[in-house]
Amino acid sequence: MKTICCQCQNGGLTHLVGRRFEAGTGISDHIFEAKRPIRLQNYQTWQNQASVFNDMKIVAIVGVPLLYDDTVLGALIACELKPGRTFSDRDEAMLKC
């Protein structure tokens, strides 16, 4: 089974770098499969959460694929831990740049 690994982090108190989870779970898998961004305003109610992140209270999440010649090389994902905060079209567009 393929695994996905968190490679970098900026901010937050919980150390995420090096965490691994099986492909087929989590937002990054959906980004790899669809080759398009995904934005969830209420991550806690989403049924495909990666259990490796259960210790985090993710409120909202946005992710975009990192593409080269229509091949997904990775995903850039931003998480919000503050209640009431969501991601906008503008936030998603900034990640795409």
Side-chain angles (χ1 to χ4, degrees):
M1 173 65 82
K2 290 184 180 180
T3 61
I4 298 171
C5 181
C6 183
Q7 294 293 322
C8 63
Q9 172 181 348
N10 184 9
L13 300 175
T14 304
H15 186 69
L16 302 176
V17 175
R19 288 194 188 191
R20 296 180 177 279
F21 54 99
E22 289 184 13
T25 63
I27 193 170
S28 56
D29 189 67
H30 286 269
I31 293 168
F32 273 79
E33 291 295 320
K35 296 183 181 180
R36 64 176 182 79
I38 185 170
R39 187 173 6 145
L40 302 170
Q41 305 299 9
N42 190 348
Y43 182 75
Q44 293 299 314
T45 63
W46 191 52
Q47 61 195 18
N48 294 317
Q49 296 177 38
S51 61
V52 71
F53 300 113
N54 282 348
D55 61 326
M56 298 182 63
K57 300 292 186 224
I58 298 170
V59 175
I61 193 166
V62 60
V64 299
L66 301 174
L67 295 167
Y68 179 76
D69 284 342
D70 200 41
T71 299
V72 180
L73 301 177
L76 180 59
I77 299 170
C79 301
E80 182 55 64
L81 305 178
K82 295 176 187 170
R85 170 74 166 97
T86 59
F87 289 104
S88 67
D89 289 340
R90 183 176 180 200
D91 296 324
E92 184 178 309
M94 286 175 47
L95 288 178
K96 288 183 193 177
C97 291

